[in-house]
Amino acid sequence: RGAITNSMLSKLTKAAPMYEVGLMMQVQWHAGLRISELLSLKCDCTSENHLLLQTDKRAKRSNTFGGAHWKPVSLTARKIIALAKKWALKKGNRSGQDLLFTMTPAKYREEFKKAVVKAELSGLDEGSLEIVPHGLRHGFVNATCLANIPEDVRAHLQMAAKTVKRYGHSNEERLAD
């Protein structure tokens, strides 16, 4: 699977069949989220510098950050989430406790595939790396160079060294494997 770069994200966002899908892709990339984390975000999920992530079964099993917890996120991610919140509140009569996005994981993957086809991103570098929504998380890791940051900073970002090692490969390295 390929890591989605910032330029690929731009093409995918423009090709998104629905505005909500474009917002979802941007939030997922800029915050480095899994699909389950993205789809569990509530309208009131942000504080000044953090994002409240809800429990998901995978997080409970795989690391010590399971349960609802605050994750540091960038200013860009917070701005996109604020835009998504405005959109969500306009779309319906929602309160802060309502989900930010109402799409199912299957529907999100389906709409994501449509954007990949429309953006003409069928493979990477003449290779065969699959472009899937989880590639947004891989792209976030690559873009923020987490593979080269100190352990204490990585711990603050709530990403284990094992996760950084797994996600911190460029598409060129992935194709070489």
Side-chain angles (χ1 to χ4, degrees), residues 37 40 51-61 63-71 158:
E37 293 168 334
S40 69
L51 179 66
L52 182 63
L53 296 178
Q54 300 300 316
T55 303
D56 80 344
K57 291 176 188 170
R58 182 175 181 167
K60 278 185 171 179
R61 278 197 320 264
N63 64 43
T64 58
F65 305 116
H69 62 275
W70 290 98
K71 174 184 177 176
Q158 299 182 350

Side-chain angles (χ1 to χ4, degrees), residues 19-162:
Y19 183 69
E20 180 178 19
V21 175
L23 284 174
M24 292 169 74
M25 288 189 282
Q26 290 183 56
V27 170
Q28 189 179 2
W29 194 89
H30 287 284
L33 302 177
R34 293 179 178 100
I35 293 174
S36 59
E37 293 168 334
L38 173 73
L39 296 177
S40 69
L41 293 176
K42 307 258 185 187
C43 285
D44 62 356
C45 64
T46 55
S47 72
E48 187 174 323
N49 296 311
H50 293 80
L51 179 66
L52 182 63
L53 296 178
Q54 300 300 316
T55 303
D56 80 344
K57 291 176 188 170
R58 182 175 181 167
K60 278 185 171 179
R61 278 197 320 264
S62 64
N63 64 43
T64 58
F65 305 116
H69 62 275
W70 290 98
K71 174 184 177 176
V73 291
S74 69
L75 177 61
T76 303
R78 290 192 311 273
K79 285 181 178 181
I80 295 167
I81 291 167
L83 186 65
K85 182 178 178 179
K86 276 185 182 178
W87 171 83
L89 293 172
K90 274 186 188 178
K91 184 180 171 193
N93 193 11
R94 297 185 180 188
S95 71
Q97 288 299 307
D98 289 329
L99 292 174
L100 189 59
F101 302 110
T102 57
M103 203 169 284
T104 65
K107 180 69 173 168
Y108 177 50
R109 285 183 184 95
E110 177 186 322
E111 298 301 324
F112 184 90
K113 283 182 182 178
K114 289 178 187 176
V116 169
V117 170
K118 187 173 178 184
E120 299 178 352
L121 298 173
S122 58
L124 298 169
D125 303 319
E126 303 299 321
S128 60
L129 291 178
E130 185 181 11
I131 301 172
V132 296
H134 195 72
L136 294 163
R137 180 171 165 90
H138 288 264
F140 163 79
V141 173
N142 284 319
T144 55
C145 302
L146 288 178
N148 298 318
I149 64 171
E151 180 66 35
D152 60 327
V153 175
R154 215 176 23 244
H156 176 69
L157 293 173
Q158 299 182 350
M159 191 168 280
K162 182 174 87 176

